[in-house]
Amino acid sequence: MYKFNFTESFGVYKWCTVFEKENKNSVLFAHITGGEWKSIKNPINKQSIYNFSLNEKKPDFVIHIDTINVLLLGEAKITLSKLYNDIVKHLNIIQILKKIFSKKSSAWENTQSCIIPTFMWCSEKKVSSTKDVEKFFNEVKSKYLNNFDSEDLIVVGLEVLRDKNMCLETKSHIFCSKKSEISDKLIKYIKGLSSLGCTIYNKDYIT
Amino acid sequence: MTNKIELELWADNQFEARWLLEDIVLRSTSNKWKAVLSDLQGFIPKLVISKNNQVITIIGFGGYKFWNHLPKSISDVLSEGKVDHVLYDRNLDRMLFANEDSSATMTGNQSQQRAERMVAFAKNNVPFSYLLPAFAIKTSDRVARRPNLWVPITALCLIAAYKVPVTVFYFGSKSDPDNKLSGEGTNQLGLMFWSIILKHIGDKNTFSEIIKNQVKIMLNEVSLKNSTLFYNLPNWDDKYIDDWSKYLSNLCLKDSKEKYDNLPFNWNVPINKLNVKSNKKNCYIETVLSKNISEDIFKKRAYFPIRGSSRGRPSLFEEHKKNIEKQKIIHRAGEEILKIPYEDLYSKIIEDGFTSKGKASPSIMHKSLIRYERFKSLRQTIENSCNKFKNIIDTKNDNFPAILFIANNLVTNFLRDPYSGMLASYAVANGSLDPRQKTIIFLWAPYQTVMLACKFSGKDLLPKNNKGSKSWVNHADYTLFNNNILVTNHKDGRLSYV
């Protein structure tokens, strides 16, 4: 067993590889990658969709779920509690990137992609309680309603657990303000990638 | 009987470890090996390749500092700057190969910014490769630029000095800049990795061919571009490229004892035999020392080896003010022992360095690299610029050539990128390791306090433990900090100052 200090970069890597195993062209950007953090690239045609300037605020990852045309724009921190400070920053990044992804170009043609705010955090030995995650999602929802017009919101939480054997496992959490076709498809997809299951935060779903 | 070998691939992050292992999957399977890539502990990539009775396992660990079992030998060399990959055999405690591939736009002198890592690995006898763009777009003006020649020259000088393969690979082209998949470099680097694995197990490989080919490419690069970068590249003649290529390849592949006389990059030529410019005024910011250096250039005791004049990017006056105030605060840590205050050069910068409304450049001279034919002239110039230096600087180095490198920056990281790499590559490429030259390296950091680079232990001056200071201690013989604090590096771990 190899011992390591747990950081969010391992969490980002873990989730990116989980998505890539399902579809090798799903990761468009991961901030922690050496040499590849400067631009969001379409992995199919290798073209740059957007180039970040050096000091521009960036997401930690961008994942495209091609089969349901969903884009997960992700912010990652080592703990759930540390994500609270970055909710507004992340929602602002999403607003900027929404415009980028809605423009058709030779690099990007999926202009109708549904963009989902996504948060990733790491846990030790046991996964976060539903209560803690619900509290966090409520905070995201209130910040979202304060800053944006729409009340229709889906938020994805991607958790990485380091167990006692230093193995990394995946657990997902999905909040949706209302049941919809896209939430159904998203839940089904992400549930299939989560080794420790997926919790849904909407009373219309029975988990 | 099965022959098993286990290697570790250390990388800057997990992605880079996995990408390289995926590349090895492609190369090995196309050579009829079986390859299985899996994960240990849910995320540690493990590659097993096998053919006949040979099984090779490579485990990838990304993010050096996060792992408890990072070998000390790797950790020590990484303290001089992290690289993208290190291939390691734990049973032999041996680094087999390392490479660097930067995401920065490595054009012009930015390409030198990782050179200190080339030197660190070569010094530790580890084959090293540096992947650079042949062309890259600079974001400020969207123009495609090329890296300068100091990196390939440094690599070739390292081969000569340490007899270890140090190579530069290029990707992209003028019509397809920044594209790692364009050009030959990325593919050749991948082949190099694969050939090193095969070489390590004693299997048939193309390592020698790749090195020979790459040495020739680097020499051709120097041939192609030297007249645009340099006024003169002394003792350079294209007709020797084939011979040099053979000598240098043999040096790092066959452990042969080629004489240095057969190798390029001997700068030891009298200045009056060179076709160099010697303007009367060679400095932007006029201090006693900069004017004396300017005079040395005019009188042909020294020259700018690089063509033209250039000036560091101007900053707002307020930025300079803010940085100077930060320098003053840092300086206070040693002021009581030094008994020398920080010299505030703010007025000088905004008057002499003025470029446009509200902005000034701190660049002192028209170029930041100056070659002296003999250290004696530089020593006398330093002595004449400040009374306290009279009879202080040792004359034992007087007959060696010298370079003066000016780190014009004002920020509070000592030798931050690209300066630590520039210092390393200027030193090596100008002959600091070459027994024909033994070039003396003099660094001038006019705005930076010595306390950025050093700390006191009692009254002893010690280098701080950071990347910039490591490069500094490895390469600079003398350093003149703000307000004429001259630090001599005795190269035995001791620093002295006056």
Side-chain angles (χ1 to χ4, degrees):
Chain A
M1 179 173 68
Y2 295 104
K3 292 183 180 172
F4 59 96
N5 297 329
F6 203 13
T7 71
E8 68 254 31
S9 65
F10 288 127
V12 171
Y13 171 80
K14 173 67 182 172
W15 268 107
C16 285
T17 53
V18 164
F19 278 100
E20 278 184 334
K21 275 173 191 164
E22 193 65 21
N23 172 7
K24 70 181 173 64
N25 293 318
S26 54
V27 179
L28 277 59
F29 177 77
H31 193 191
I32 63 162
T33 56
E36 300 292 340
W37 53 263
K38 283 197 293 190
S39 65
I40 299 176
K41 277 186 184 158
N42 186 332
I44 298 168
N45 58 28
K46 312 285 181 209
Q47 289 188 46
S48 172
I49 299 166
Y50 181 63
N51 287 318
F52 290 105
S53 61
L54 189 62
N55 298 317
E56 188 174 355
K57 298 253 187 304
K58 304 168 186 76
D60 285 309
F61 55 89
V62 177
I63 288 162
H64 184 225
I65 306 173
D66 188 33
T67 48
I68 54 175
N69 203 11
V70 160
L71 273 166
L72 303 179
L73 301 191
E75 175 71 21
K77 281 281 177 289
I78 185 67
T79 60
L80 179 61
S81 60
K82 286 195 172 163
L83 278 168
Y84 277 86
N85 290 337
D86 285 328
I87 295 171
V88 174
K89 182 196 92 177
H90 186 54
L91 293 175
N92 288 335
I93 291 171
I94 288 173
Q95 280 304 94
I96 293 164
L97 292 179
K98 249 185 181 172
K99 289 178 193 155
I100 306 296
F101 284 109
S102 64
K103 279 184 206 155
K104 193 170 180 174
S105 67
S106 59
W108 184 249
E109 293 185 342
N110 299 301
T111 53
Q112 301 303 311
S113 300
C114 175
I115 290 178
I116 310 275
T118 303
F119 295 88
M120 196 233 79
W121 67 94
C122 305
S123 302
E124 293 275 6
K125 292 182 182 137
K126 61 175 190 175
V127 294
S128 308
S129 70
T130 310
K131 197 177 146 197
D132 285 345
V133 179
E134 188 165 29
K135 189 179 157 204
F136 174 74
F137 280 154
N138 284 336
E139 186 71 11
V140 175
K141 187 181 161 191
S142 81
K143 293 279 189 326
Y144 186 83
L145 293 177
N146 284 344
N147 290 276
F148 305 100
D149 298 336
S150 172
E151 289 190 5
D152 194 3
L153 177 66
I154 300 174
V155 186
V156 169
L158 301 175
E159 186 174 6
V160 176
L161 175 82
R162 176 164 75 168
D163 69 16
K164 61 181 187 333
N165 297 318
M166 296 254 165
C167 289
L168 299 191
E169 302 283 355
T170 50
K171 161 83 188 174
S172 54
H173 308 261
I174 300 179
F175 166 89
C176 47
S177 52
K178 64 176 187 193
K179 198 174 187 298
S180 64
E181 191 188 345
I182 196 78
S183 66
D184 288 347
K185 287 178 177 170
L186 183 66
I187 288 165
K188 191 179 169 201
Y189 192 92
I190 290 185
K191 209 174 195 174
L193 304 179
S194 312
S195 59
L196 300 175
C198 176
T199 305
I200 295 129
Y201 296 75
N202 180 301
K203 60 181 179 342
D204 295 335
Y205 288 96
I206 300 162
T207 56
Chain B
M1 195 176 138
T2 308
N3 184 25
K4 290 183 179 177
I5 191 159
E6 188 168 307
L7 303 175
E8 293 171 13
L9 177 64
W10 288 87
D12 211 11
N13 61 62
Q14 283 298 97
F15 283 98
E16 297 206 66
R18 187 165 62 102
W19 291 336
L20 186 50
L21 292 180
E22 285 172 349
D23 189 66
I24 295 170
V25 169
L26 296 177
R27 291 178 196 280
S28 58
T29 49
S30 69
N31 283 284
K32 298 186 177 157
W33 288 67
K34 280 184 188 160
V36 179
L37 186 56
S38 59
D39 285 327
L40 296 173
Q41 295 170 221
F43 77 111
I44 302 168
K46 177 188 175 187
L47 172 64
V48 180
I49 55 173
S50 56
K51 188 178 178 183
N52 302 328
N53 296 325
Q54 181 70 55
V55 179
I56 305 170
T57 302
I58 310 173
I59 303 176
F61 301 102
Y64 301 102
K65 66 183 176 187
F66 301 125
W67 298 91
N68 293 11
H69 66 298
L70 174 67
K72 188 177 179 303
S73 52
I74 298 183
S75 162
D76 285 348
V77 69
L78 290 180
S79 68
E80 296 182 41
K82 279 191 296 177
V83 293
D84 287 310
H85 299 107
V86 182
L87 186 63
Y88 176 72
D89 185 329
R90 188 171 286 273
N91 286 327
L92 303 174
D93 186 20
R94 200 174 124 205
M95 290 173 270
L96 306 178
F97 183 58
N99 85 288
E100 172 62 11
D101 157 14
S102 174
S103 58
T105 307
M106 299 304 237
T107 59
N109 61 18
Q110 291 295 325
S111 60
Q112 292 166 263
Q113 72 171 266
R114 306 288 196 261
E116 78 281 10
R117 295 153 219 212
M118 291 169 78
V119 183
F121 279 90
K123 196 172 64 183
N124 282 279
N125 208 27
V126 182
F128 188 91
S129 288
Y130 192 10
L131 182 65
L132 281 176
F135 290 88
I137 301 278
K138 201 174 173 187
T139 31
S140 56
D141 56 13
R142 308 300 303 162
V143 172
R145 285 186 169 76
R146 311 190 71 170
N148 70 28
L149 283 181
W150 290 108
V151 175
I153 294 176
T154 304
L156 294 163
C157 289
L158 287 170
I159 292 176
Y162 295 117
K163 300 174 178 51
V164 61
V166 183
T167 44
V168 182
F169 291 90
Y170 296 96
F171 65 85
S173 64
K174 196 169 188 177
S175 58
D176 196 7
D178 288 300
N179 183 355
K180 284 199 177 148
L181 300 175
S182 165
E184 269 300 293
T186 306
N187 181 44
Q188 286 297 311
L189 182 56
L191 272 176
M192 176 92 131
F193 246 106
W194 175 232
S195 68
I196 279 174
I197 293 167
L198 294 176
K199 182 171 174 276
H200 190 59
I201 59 165
D203 207 347
K204 196 178 167 203
N205 65 82
T206 55
F207 182 71
S208 298
E209 284 69 31
I210 296 171
I211 296 295
K212 283 177 194 165
N213 187 42
Q214 213 54 38
V215 166
K216 185 87 177 276
I217 287 173
M218 288 150 66
L219 286 164
N220 281 334
E221 186 77 5
V222 178
S223 164
L224 197 71
K225 294 196 299 202
N226 81 73
S227 61
T228 52
L229 181 67
F230 304 118
Y231 287 114
N232 285 95
L233 183 54
N235 293 313
W236 181 270
D237 193 328
D238 283 355
K239 73 179 178 199
Y240 295 123
I241 285 180
D242 284 342
D243 290 341
W244 286 335
S245 179
K246 196 176 89 189
Y247 295 150
L248 284 161
S249 303
N250 284 346
L251 267 179
C252 61
L253 292 170
K254 293 186 178 166
D255 199 24
S256 65
K257 304 211 174 350
E258 294 294 345
K259 286 179 187 161
Y260 254 96
D261 292 346
N262 291 337
L263 299 175
F265 310 119
N266 183 359
W267 298 78
N268 234 345
V269 172
I271 296 176
N272 60 22
K273 290 197 172 170
L274 298 174
N275 175 28
V276 293
K277 268 196 167 179
S278 58
N279 296 325
K280 189 151 193 189
K281 186 169 184 263
N282 298 293
C283 57
Y284 297 112
I285 294 186
E286 294 193 347
T287 66
V288 177
L289 180 56
S290 70
K291 284 194 281 188
N292 286 349
I293 296 166
S294 190
E295 181 76 2
D296 285 339
I297 294 167
F298 182 61
K299 295 274 172 64
K300 293 203 171 182
R301 291 187 286 263
Y303 69 104
F304 295 123
I306 303 167
R307 277 183 182 276
S309 58
S310 59
R311 205 166 195 181
R313 195 179 51 184
S315 300
L316 294 167
F317 291 168
E318 305 91 83
E319 280 295 311
H320 293 310
K321 187 90 191 157
K322 204 168 75 186
N323 284 329
I324 284 173
E325 292 310 316
K326 285 183 189 167
Q327 294 280 343
K328 284 179 187 170
I329 292 167
I330 294 164
H331 187 76
R332 275 182 217 143
E335 197 166 343
E336 210 170 290
I337 301 172
L338 290 164
K339 296 187 173 53
I340 303 169
Y342 181 83
E343 184 187 12
D344 188 334
L345 292 167
Y346 175 71
S347 310
K348 262 287 162 226
I349 295 171
I350 61 165
E351 283 164 27
D352 296 358
F354 180 84
T355 54
S356 59
K357 195 180 172 191
K359 284 187 170 181
S361 166
S363 292
I364 296 260
M365 307 292 300
H366 290 183
K367 282 281 175 192
S368 62
L369 179 69
I370 297 144
R371 267 197 77 92
Y372 275 79
E373 187 173 321
R374 293 287 169 257
F375 177 69
K376 184 180 180 184
S377 309
L378 176 58
R379 177 180 60 76
Q380 288 170 338
T381 292
I382 299 290
E383 287 176 352
N384 292 337
S385 68
C386 181
N387 282 334
K388 73 172 176 178
F389 295 144
K390 291 269 187 267
N391 304 318
I392 286 291
I393 306 171
D394 206 323
T395 55
K396 70 178 182 196
N397 296 321
D398 272 6
N399 287 325
F400 296 121
I403 60 164
L404 171 67
F405 173 45
I406 307 167
N408 291 301
N409 62 357
L410 254 160
V411 294
T412 52
N413 333 43
F414 178 55
L415 292 182
R416 81 159 187 198
D417 286 341
Y419 287 95
S420 56
M422 287 170 83
L423 174 65
S425 69
Y426 283 151
V428 173
N430 277 279
S432 65
L433 303 173
D434 184 334
R436 295 171 299 183
Q437 303 175 75
K438 295 183 182 172
T439 308
I440 303 301
I441 311 301
F442 198 108
L443 173 69
W444 183 20
Y447 308 114
Q448 293 195 310
T449 164
V450 66
M451 299 315 296
L452 268 184
C454 299
K455 59 189 176 190
F456 276 107
S457 169
K459 292 202 168 179
D460 293 334
L461 195 64
L462 302 173
K464 282 186 178 171
N465 188 22
N466 59 45
K467 181 170 74 79
S469 291
K470 291 252 171 157
S471 177
W472 172 56
V473 171
N474 285 336
H475 297 289
D477 296 292
Y478 299 94
T479 305
L480 188 62
F481 287 97
N482 174 267
N483 209 5
N484 287 322
I485 295 177
L486 179 67
V487 175
T488 302
N489 178 2
H490 298 278
K491 298 283 172 93
D492 58 0
R494 283 181 310 122
L495 299 175
S496 61
Y497 70 94
V498 58

